[in-house]
Amino acid sequence: MDFNEYQKLAGRTAMYAKSDKEFILMYLCMGIAGESGEIIEKVKKTIRNDAGIITEEKKEAIQKEIGDVLWYLSQLAVVLEIPFDDVAAGNIKKLAERAERGVIKSEGDVR
Ligand SMILES: [Mg+2]
């Protein structure tokens, strides 16, 4: 499945309580933060309770949360009229350019 196809299929379940763009942008950003937090919690509890050993069961649970983050990201891109393929390709291009210039480990959004 490519990113644009995923974005389109994910959009089938996009339902918002309000239709104004500001609300939807806020809702999606909150979703990204919330689902990211769910990943963090699972990893935290693995470190706290299981000596950092990630079982297959835990891995599957984290995978589902990664999918939840992906859903929100894909729909944020929809609202901003950004094809999801462009997000993925743009990120790879940016990282490749940084690697080429030897600035992967530096700081700052624009390197
Ligand atoms: Mg979740």
Side-chain angles (χ1 to χ4, degrees):
M1 178 183 299
D2 66 35
F3 285 93
N4 282 347
E5 182 184 2
Y6 172 83
Q7 186 179 38
K8 184 180 171 189
L9 293 173
R12 291 180 179 178
T13 54
M15 288 174 261
Y16 308 109
K18 294 182 181 178
S19 59
D20 67 278
K21 189 173 178 178
E22 185 176 285
F23 173 85
I24 294 171
L25 285 171
M26 184 179 65
Y27 176 83
L28 292 169
C29 288
M30 291 171 78
I32 291 165
E35 297 298 343
S36 298
E38 290 186 38
I39 295 171
I40 293 164
E41 275 296 306
K42 284 180 171 51
V43 172
K44 180 197 80 180
K45 287 176 181 170
T46 298
I47 292 167
R48 184 188 66 193
N49 302 336
D50 305 318
I53 297 167
I54 297 176
T55 61
E56 276 303 310
E57 184 182 16
K58 184 75 75 170
K59 182 176 154 183
E60 286 174 20
I62 292 170
Q63 181 178 333
K64 287 179 183 174
E65 301 305 344
I66 292 170
D68 290 344
V69 173
L70 186 66
W71 188 94
Y72 280 103
L73 292 173
S74 74
Q75 297 313 295
L76 178 61
V78 166
V79 174
L80 297 173
E81 300 179 15
I82 302 168
F84 216 32
D85 275 345
D86 290 2
V87 174
N91 182 254
I92 292 297
K93 182 174 183 279
K94 178 184 79 176
L95 295 174
E97 288 169 357
R98 285 181 181 175
E100 196 174 298
R101 288 182 282 112
V103 293
I104 288 284
K105 292 183 177 177
S106 301
E107 289 184 36
D109 292 337
V110 181
R111 289 183 251 156

